[in-house]
């Protein structure tokens, strides 16, 4: 059993050092937003985005004017992609049922799926205008029935990006703000003089946005830890180096710290893919970013067997996993830790990012070990309820509860049960004692 690293990325110690620097910056920035509110937000926007409008919130007239800048083809493409996302989200929502059951005569238990009451959706856009992120967060929240959806995106080339704003508006955002980074996430969660805080934050972002969400978790809910893009290509010799290299670099161009991993059982494919990556980097317009990611975070891992490939894939728990082998469905059946799977050479991560309908806000940094990605269910809280409809049930369940509370030493708890046994069962239980069993068999 051999697992060989033909190329390794930056050591974990260096990555941890980068993370520590990010944590400190985010902590200080969030504290400043909490202390100074709108003034801090404006200063941060001026510093990082060179943007300081009269109001960060867009009016309806401004939204309409921005949408009017799009061509009919651009608008139709946005609407098509958004419909795919809505349709899949609605199918997921339809699978989530409220239930009510009678577990014993007179005892009714149930649960309801209730939308989170306000959500802040972050849509990245400083480096690339992430139109699709608006579908994934805003439109999905709309399908879930969230009554207040606010959306933030940074300015692009000094002004709001028309396509992103259109996607936010068509997706169902009730408030749209042009601000980015820590200041946007902080303002939505903490609140300022002009922005009411939300109950939950969602959406992907760079390392600073992801860390801000992590630090704000507890104060507000978050969807998941969705940091810099990660991709893994699991491939054997059923595909060629061009396809593997293209799929790796297609995600590496996201940012300077986007891990891209080739996992294969073919040394020939590994060597050819490494060479093909160099060839493509010579013609790729975003090569400056993609090359830095590949040099610092790219990896090529060679395994002997498919079982080893499965083991490594689950350990890495990558955000995106492109599987192109002679047994794609075997990986679907056996993989347990990942963000999303892209099965077979006919699909690819970019489909999932932009148009196919599954959500592209996915777990990073091994979070796929304990959570899936953003979906309509993330916006819904499942709340249970109970009711007892007969005197007989109140006395019977109360007697069991009384004795079990006394078993744990909770006398006050026991008296809650005893009071019902006395009133609805007509049994005079001595104060501070467990209720008697109805017969010796119990």
């Amino acid at each position: 059993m051999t697992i060989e690293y033909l190329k390794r990325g930056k050591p974990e110690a260096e990555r941890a050092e980068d993370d520590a620097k990010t944590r400190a910056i985010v902590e200080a920035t969030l504290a400043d937003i909490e202390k100074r509110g709108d003034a801090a937000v404006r200063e941060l926007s001026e510093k990082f985005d060179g943007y300081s409008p009269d109001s960060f919130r867009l009016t309806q007239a401004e939204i309409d004017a921005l949408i009017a800048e799009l061509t009919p083809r651009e608008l139709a493409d946005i609407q098509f992609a958004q419909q795919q996302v809505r349709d899949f989200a609605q199918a997921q929502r339809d699978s989530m049922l409220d239930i009510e059951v009678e577990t014993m005569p007179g005892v009714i238990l149930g649960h309801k799926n209730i939308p989170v009451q306000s959500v802040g959706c972050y849509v990245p856009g400083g480096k690339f205008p992430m139109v699709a992120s608006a579908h994934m967060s805003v439109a999905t929240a709309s399908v879930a029935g969230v009554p207040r959806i606010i959306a933030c995106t940074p300015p692009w080339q000094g002004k709001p990006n028309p396509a992103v704003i259109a996607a936010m508006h068509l997706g169902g955002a009730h408030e749209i703000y042009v601000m980015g980074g820590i200041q946007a996430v902080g303002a939505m969660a903490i609140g300022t003089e002009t922005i009411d805080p939300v109950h939950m934050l969602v959406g992907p972002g760079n390392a600073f946005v992801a860390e801000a969400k992590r630090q704000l978790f507890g104060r507000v809910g978050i969807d998941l830890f969705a940091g810099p893009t990660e991709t893994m290509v699991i491939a054997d010799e059923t595909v060629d180096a061009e396809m593997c290299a293209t799929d790796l670099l297609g995600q590496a161009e996201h940012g300077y710290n986007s891990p891209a991993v080739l996992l294969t059982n073919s040394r020939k494919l590994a060597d050819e893919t490494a060479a093909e990556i160099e060839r493509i980097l010579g013609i790729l317009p975003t090569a400056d970013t993609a090359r830095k990611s590949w040099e610092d975070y790219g990896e090529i891992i060679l395994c002997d067997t498919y079982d080893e490939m499965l083991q490594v894939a689950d350990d890495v728990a990558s955000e995106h996993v492109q599987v192109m082998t002679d047994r794609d469905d075997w990986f679907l059946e056996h993989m347990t830790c990942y963000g999303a799977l892209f099965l077979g050479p006919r699909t690819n991560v970019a489909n999932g990012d932009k148009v196919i309908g599954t959500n592209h806000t996915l777990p990073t940094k091994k979070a796929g070990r304990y959570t899936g990605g953003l979906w309509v269910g993330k916006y819904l809280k499942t709340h249970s309820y109970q009711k007892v409809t007969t005197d007989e049930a109140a006395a019977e369940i109360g007697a069991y509860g009384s004795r079990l509370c006394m078993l744990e030493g909770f006398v006050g708890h026991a008296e809650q049960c005893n009071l019902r046994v006395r009133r609805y069962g007509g049994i005079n239980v001595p104060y501070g004692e467990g209720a008697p069993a109805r017969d010796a068999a119990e």
Side-chain angles (χ1 to χ4, degrees), residues 113-390:
N113 294 298
I114 301 173
V116 174
Q117 294 299 287
S118 58
V119 169
C121 301
Y122 185 74
V123 178
K127 189 176 180 66
F128 299 103
M130 299 287 286
V131 179
S133 288
H135 316 324
M136 307 300 172
S137 57
V138 178
T140 307
S142 180
V143 170
V146 177
R148 178 182 176 233
I149 304 169
I150 78 172
C152 285
T153 191
W156 187 68
Q157 298 181 349
K159 63 186 183 70
N161 180 270
V164 174
I165 300 305
M168 287 175 160
H169 176 67
L170 295 171
H174 303 109
E175 304 166 33
I176 296 176
Y177 298 84
V178 182
M179 64 174 74
I182 306 170
Q183 61 269 28
V185 173
M188 288 191 289
I190 297 168
T192 71
E193 299 91 325
T194 59
I195 303 174
D196 290 334
V198 297
H199 294 174
M200 183 179 184
L201 291 170
V202 301
N206 62 20
F208 293 96
V209 168
E211 175 61 21
K213 286 171 63 181
R214 190 192 69 81
Q215 291 189 20
L216 289 163
F217 176 59
R219 182 172 192 149
V220 295
I222 65 171
D223 48 357
L224 64 151
F225 194 93
T229 290
E230 304 166 352
T231 199
M232 169 179 279
V233 172
I234 301 176
D236 60 18
E237 289 191 0
T238 59
V239 291
D240 57 44
E242 181 185 23
M243 190 160 292
C244 293
T246 299
D247 286 346
L248 290 165
L249 292 177
Q251 295 301 302
E253 74 176 357
H254 262 285
Y256 67 91
N257 57 351
S258 297
V261 179
L262 173 63
L263 181 59
T264 183
N265 56 1
S266 168
R267 186 178 294 273
K268 176 176 179 290
L269 181 64
D271 292 342
E272 290 177 353
T273 298
E276 184 67 8
I277 284 172
E278 290 304 314
R279 183 190 72 81
I280 293 174
L281 284 172
I283 58 175
L284 184 67
T286 54
D288 287 348
T289 302
R291 182 180 295 279
K292 181 65 173 172
S293 270
W294 179 246
E295 289 175 351
D296 289 352
Y297 291 88
E299 296 188 336
I300 299 176
I301 306 172
L302 179 65
C303 298
D304 283 342
T305 68
Y306 289 99
D307 285 329
E308 288 176 358
M309 292 164 72
L310 175 66
Q311 173 191 329
V312 173
D314 273 339
D315 181 62
V316 173
S318 184
E319 177 189 15
H320 306 102
V321 181
Q322 173 82 41
V323 183
M324 297 182 289
T325 67
D326 65 6
R327 59 197 72 192
D328 300 340
D329 287 342
W330 181 83
F331 280 95
L332 173 62
E333 180 181 355
H334 290 94
M335 278 194 70
T336 60
C337 301
Y338 55 89
L341 291 180
F342 303 81
L343 300 167
R346 292 179 181 84
T347 192
N348 63 83
V349 175
N351 280 351
D353 278 348
K354 309 303 178 188
V355 68
I356 208 166
T358 54
N359 205 292
H360 80 190
T361 304
L362 299 167
T364 63
K365 293 199 169 185
K366 293 185 179 287
R369 295 175 299 175
Y370 58 82
T371 186
L374 180 61
W375 70 296
V376 71
K378 289 279 189 179
Y379 298 96
L380 296 164
K381 307 171 294 166
T382 303
H383 295 275
S384 62
Y385 62 89
Q386 59 172 267
K387 56 185 174 182
V388 179
T389 60
T390 66

Side-chain angles (χ1 to χ4, degrees), residues 64-77:
D64 292 342
L66 286 163
I67 294 174
E69 294 182 27
L70 299 174
T71 67
R73 179 71 270 163
E74 289 168 338
L75 192 57
D77 287 346

